[in-house]
Structure formats: structure tokens, C-alpha cells
Amino acid sequence: MSHDLDGVFPVGTLNALRLGRLLVAEVMASRPECRAWVAVHPLLTDADSAAQREHWTRSDARRSFRLTHREFLTEHLDGWDYDIGSSEIKRTVATDEADLRVRLRAWEVPPEHLTYHWDTDFRRSALPAWEL
């Protein structure tokens, strides 16, 4: 099955990113005892914080994004100590949606593989506090 790595974002994915939602894609781990994900975390601004205080979510087509590739030992994913033996493989920032497509292509992550973290085994709490 071929994937469009040059990637046009599916509409739902693009909307989620513009609304500031964390999306993840499971990727190949470097070790058989691990699972790995790339997390795409839209960077929120003061305008987003102001909207949250007013109980609404702001859409922004000019967001920047933090990408983090992490691996976790499978045996710890279901417990409280999910981060034992985990490792950050790489991290970068994409300045906009076009740059995000370029960086996802470089990391071999098809845009259509991005999904909400709650639809996967990825642990949102696996992100460092500064990424939440």
C-alpha cells in the first residue's frame, strides 16, 4: 500500500491541527520490545489561552508545531511507569503547515496516519509537561 508522503492533510486532520489538538502516528520502533510514536503538538499562543478562558477553541491556519518521536518499552505501556526505558529519538519544530508536511515526509510519516492520541495506545502523559 502506498502512502502520499508529499501529503495533503485529510480535512479532519487539518481541522484538528488548526484547533490546536495533539495528533500522533505510530511508527516503526528501532527495537522489537518497543513501540514508537510521532506526536504533533500544535503550539498554542496567548490568543488560544484567551479563547480558552472564554470557553471556546480558536482555529489558526498559521500555527507552528512541535514534533517529537519517542519509543516506549511495550511491557511498561499499560502501567503507571510507562516511561521507564522510554527514549526520545528526535524533536523538531515546524513553522507552519507546509513545513509540517516537509518534516513529516522526512520522518516518513504519511499525513493520513495522524490521529487523535485517545484512539491509540499512546499515553498523553508520556509528553513532558512543557509539551502539554
Side-chain angles (χ1 to χ4, degrees):
M1 176 196 278
S2 101
H3 299 287
D4 181 11
L5 289 175
D6 290 331
V8 174
F9 289 106
V11 172
T13 300
L14 192 57
N15 286 336
L17 292 169
R18 289 178 176 178
L19 287 171
R21 304 291 190 249
L22 168 68
L23 297 180
V24 301
E26 189 162 8
V27 296
M28 184 73 79
S30 66
R31 302 175 287 166
E33 67 274 12
C34 291
R35 290 179 68 190
W37 284 270
V38 168
V40 178
H41 194 278
L43 299 177
L44 303 180
T45 65
D46 290 339
D48 294 302
S49 296
Q52 279 183 329
R53 285 190 299 276
E54 295 174 6
H55 306 287
W56 61 284
T57 303
R58 179 179 162 276
S59 181
D60 186 350
R62 294 175 291 150
R63 285 195 192 281
S64 297
F65 307 89
R66 181 179 302 109
L67 288 81
T68 308
H69 178 183
R70 293 187 60 89
E71 284 191 347
F72 300 88
L73 288 171
T74 305
E75 66 183 284
H76 297 298
L77 277 177
D78 290 331
W80 290 101
D81 295 326
Y82 57 84
D83 58 346
I84 291 176
S86 71
S87 58
E88 182 176 290
I89 308 302
K90 53 190 164 186
R91 179 185 343 165
T92 191
V93 172
T95 57
D96 57 23
E97 292 169 7
D99 190 29
L100 177 59
R101 282 192 300 273
V102 168
R103 292 175 187 277
L104 287 172
R105 183 180 333 120
W107 288 12
E108 299 182 3
V109 177
E112 68 269 16
H113 284 196
L114 292 173
T115 189
Y116 290 104
H117 64 90
W118 58 74
D119 290 334
T120 72
D121 291 331
F122 179 83
R123 300 284 298 262
R124 179 178 173 85
S125 54
L127 292 171
W130 51 266
E131 282 199 42
L132 297 175

